[in-house]
Amino acid sequence: MKIQSQKDFLSGGMFTLVGAAFAIGATNYTVGTGARMGPGYFPLLLGIMLAIGGCIVMLTSLSREPKGDGDPVGRVAWKPLILVIGANLIFGVLLGGLPTLDLPAMGLMVAIYALVIVASIAGTRFSLKTSLILATILAIGSYLTFILGLSLQFQVWPTFISG
């Protein structure tokens, strides 16, 4: 057996490990049955499906007959990786605030705009106009879905605006 695509093999391995970790972690919760699902039911099934999918991707990257060196793994794209992870951290901090640093919660709308703008910088072409349009669509959709549709209780606007 020879690895034909290093990218597929390593990404399949990553999916398998993450799926197995989720499935194992879900066993700490009550799983329940299909008719009466507990809080661990969905993460368990999702983890199992992710692990199986990862195994399938790994197996399809293998071949019995060598056909060359395969598809090698390239360099790690550090800038997009750091910006996307940072955008998610910024979203969480702006949404909930940091009481230990006396940083108040800025609300859902500010957090969404910051998330979209920072994550958009990670791409190869950044357009502030396009980012603001996307952020506006996401903000409206999030408000309609989470605040009006699901009646979730969390801060939408910064305290200095909403009072």
Side-chain angles (χ1 to χ4, degrees), residues 15-28:
F15 287 133
T16 302
L17 288 175
V18 170
F22 266 86
I24 291 168
T27 59
N28 293 328

PDB file of all heavy atoms in Angstrom, residues 15-28:
ATOM      1  N   PHE A  15      -9.722  14.126  10.762  1.00  0.00           N
ATOM      2  CA  PHE A  15     -11.153  13.933  10.961  1.00  0.00           C
ATOM      3  C   PHE A  15     -11.434  12.716  11.839  1.00  0.00           C
ATOM      4  O   PHE A  15     -12.335  12.741  12.679  1.00  0.00           O
ATOM      5  CB  PHE A  15     -11.884  13.787   9.619  1.00  0.00           C
ATOM      6  CG  PHE A  15     -12.005  15.080   8.864  1.00  0.00           C
ATOM      7  CD1 PHE A  15     -11.686  15.136   7.522  1.00  0.00           C
ATOM      8  CD2 PHE A  15     -12.436  16.236   9.481  1.00  0.00           C
ATOM      9  CE1 PHE A  15     -11.791  16.312   6.816  1.00  0.00           C
ATOM     10  CE2 PHE A  15     -12.547  17.424   8.791  1.00  0.00           C
ATOM     11  CZ  PHE A  15     -12.221  17.465   7.447  1.00  0.00           C
ATOM     12  N   THR A  16     -10.675  11.658  11.656  1.00  0.00           N
ATOM     13  CA  THR A  16     -10.859  10.453  12.465  1.00  0.00           C
ATOM     14  C   THR A  16     -10.560  10.745  13.930  1.00  0.00           C
ATOM     15  O   THR A  16     -11.328  10.355  14.821  1.00  0.00           O
ATOM     16  CB  THR A  16      -9.972   9.309  11.948  1.00  0.00           C
ATOM     17  OG1 THR A  16     -10.310   9.060  10.578  1.00  0.00           O
ATOM     18  CG2 THR A  16     -10.167   8.048  12.752  1.00  0.00           C
ATOM     19  N   LEU A  17      -9.463  11.438  14.195  1.00  0.00           N
ATOM     20  CA  LEU A  17      -9.101  11.752  15.581  1.00  0.00           C
ATOM     21  C   LEU A  17     -10.104  12.693  16.242  1.00  0.00           C
ATOM     22  O   LEU A  17     -10.508  12.480  17.386  1.00  0.00           O
ATOM     23  CB  LEU A  17      -7.701  12.358  15.631  1.00  0.00           C
ATOM     24  CG  LEU A  17      -6.550  11.401  15.364  1.00  0.00           C
ATOM     25  CD1 LEU A  17      -5.228  12.159  15.320  1.00  0.00           C
ATOM     26  CD2 LEU A  17      -6.497  10.318  16.421  1.00  0.00           C
ATOM     27  N   VAL A  18     -10.516  13.736  15.539  1.00  0.00           N
ATOM     28  CA  VAL A  18     -11.479  14.683  16.101  1.00  0.00           C
ATOM     29  C   VAL A  18     -12.821  13.997  16.332  1.00  0.00           C
ATOM     30  O   VAL A  18     -13.458  14.173  17.379  1.00  0.00           O
ATOM     31  CB  VAL A  18     -11.630  15.923  15.193  1.00  0.00           C
ATOM     32  CG1 VAL A  18     -12.796  16.798  15.624  1.00  0.00           C
ATOM     33  CG2 VAL A  18     -10.344  16.730  15.178  1.00  0.00           C
ATOM     34  N   GLY A  19     -13.271  13.192  15.370  1.00  0.00           N
ATOM     35  CA  GLY A  19     -14.534  12.467  15.531  1.00  0.00           C
ATOM     36  C   GLY A  19     -14.491  11.496  16.689  1.00  0.00           C
ATOM     37  O   GLY A  19     -15.437  11.411  17.481  1.00  0.00           O
ATOM     38  N   ALA A  20     -13.386  10.774  16.822  1.00  0.00           N
ATOM     39  CA  ALA A  20     -13.254   9.835  17.942  1.00  0.00           C
ATOM     40  C   ALA A  20     -13.232  10.584  19.267  1.00  0.00           C
ATOM     41  O   ALA A  20     -13.855  10.136  20.247  1.00  0.00           O
ATOM     42  CB  ALA A  20     -11.980   9.008  17.772  1.00  0.00           C
ATOM     43  N   ALA A  21     -12.559  11.724  19.326  1.00  0.00           N
ATOM     44  CA  ALA A  21     -12.519  12.508  20.562  1.00  0.00           C
ATOM     45  C   ALA A  21     -13.914  13.003  20.940  1.00  0.00           C
ATOM     46  O   ALA A  21     -14.304  12.939  22.113  1.00  0.00           O
ATOM     47  CB  ALA A  21     -11.558  13.687  20.401  1.00  0.00           C
ATOM     48  N   PHE A  22     -14.695  13.464  19.958  1.00  0.00           N
ATOM     49  CA  PHE A  22     -16.061  13.906  20.236  1.00  0.00           C
ATOM     50  C   PHE A  22     -16.922  12.741  20.705  1.00  0.00           C
ATOM     51  O   PHE A  22     -17.710  12.876  21.641  1.00  0.00           O
ATOM     52  CB  PHE A  22     -16.691  14.551  18.999  1.00  0.00           C
ATOM     53  CG  PHE A  22     -16.542  16.034  18.976  1.00  0.00           C
ATOM     54  CD1 PHE A  22     -15.406  16.612  18.448  1.00  0.00           C
ATOM     55  CD2 PHE A  22     -17.526  16.856  19.481  1.00  0.00           C
ATOM     56  CE1 PHE A  22     -15.237  17.981  18.422  1.00  0.00           C
ATOM     57  CE2 PHE A  22     -17.385  18.236  19.470  1.00  0.00           C
ATOM     58  CZ  PHE A  22     -16.235  18.797  18.939  1.00  0.00           C
ATOM     59  N   ALA A  23     -16.787  11.602  20.057  1.00  0.00           N
ATOM     60  CA  ALA A  23     -17.590  10.438  20.441  1.00  0.00           C
ATOM     61  C   ALA A  23     -17.244   9.988  21.853  1.00  0.00           C
ATOM     62  O   ALA A  23     -18.134   9.681  22.654  1.00  0.00           O
ATOM     63  CB  ALA A  23     -17.376   9.305  19.440  1.00  0.00           C
ATOM     64  N   ILE A  24     -15.960   9.964  22.175  1.00  0.00           N
ATOM     65  CA  ILE A  24     -15.551   9.567  23.523  1.00  0.00           C
ATOM     66  C   ILE A  24     -16.022  10.600  24.552  1.00  0.00           C
ATOM     67  O   ILE A  24     -16.520  10.245  25.619  1.00  0.00           O
ATOM     68  CB  ILE A  24     -14.020   9.367  23.585  1.00  0.00           C
ATOM     69  CG1 ILE A  24     -13.637   8.130  22.769  1.00  0.00           C
ATOM     70  CG2 ILE A  24     -13.540   9.232  25.020  1.00  0.00           C
ATOM     71  CD1 ILE A  24     -12.148   7.991  22.509  1.00  0.00           C
ATOM     72  N   GLY A  25     -15.882  11.872  24.229  1.00  0.00           N
ATOM     73  CA  GLY A  25     -16.348  12.922  25.132  1.00  0.00           C
ATOM     74  C   GLY A  25     -17.844  12.899  25.348  1.00  0.00           C
ATOM     75  O   GLY A  25     -18.343  13.234  26.426  1.00  0.00           O
ATOM     76  N   ALA A  26     -18.601  12.493  24.337  1.00  0.00           N
ATOM     77  CA  ALA A  26     -20.061  12.453  24.447  1.00  0.00           C
ATOM     78  C   ALA A  26     -20.527  11.361  25.395  1.00  0.00           C
ATOM     79  O   ALA A  26     -21.648  11.429  25.912  1.00  0.00           O
ATOM     80  CB  ALA A  26     -20.691  12.252  23.071  1.00  0.00           C
ATOM     81  N   THR A  27     -19.694  10.366  25.640  1.00  0.00           N
ATOM     82  CA  THR A  27     -20.106   9.293  26.550  1.00  0.00           C
ATOM     83  C   THR A  27     -20.147   9.759  27.996  1.00  0.00           C
ATOM     84  O   THR A  27     -20.690   9.053  28.855  1.00  0.00           O
ATOM     85  CB  THR A  27     -19.172   8.072  26.421  1.00  0.00           C
ATOM     86  OG1 THR A  27     -17.833   8.484  26.730  1.00  0.00           O
ATOM     87  CG2 THR A  27     -19.229   7.494  25.022  1.00  0.00           C
ATOM     88  N   ASN A  28     -19.607  10.942  28.302  1.00  0.00           N
ATOM     89  CA  ASN A  28     -19.701  11.503  29.650  1.00  0.00           C
ATOM     90  C   ASN A  28     -21.100  12.043  29.942  1.00  0.00           C
ATOM     91  O   ASN A  28     -21.403  12.348  31.084  1.00  0.00           O
ATOM     92  CB  ASN A  28     -18.674  12.614  29.853  1.00  0.00           C
ATOM     93  CG  ASN A  28     -17.257  12.089  29.839  1.00  0.00           C
ATOM     94  OD1 ASN A  28     -16.999  10.958  30.246  1.00  0.00           O
ATOM     95  ND2 ASN A  28     -16.333  12.906  29.368  1.00  0.00           N
TER      96      ASN A  28
END
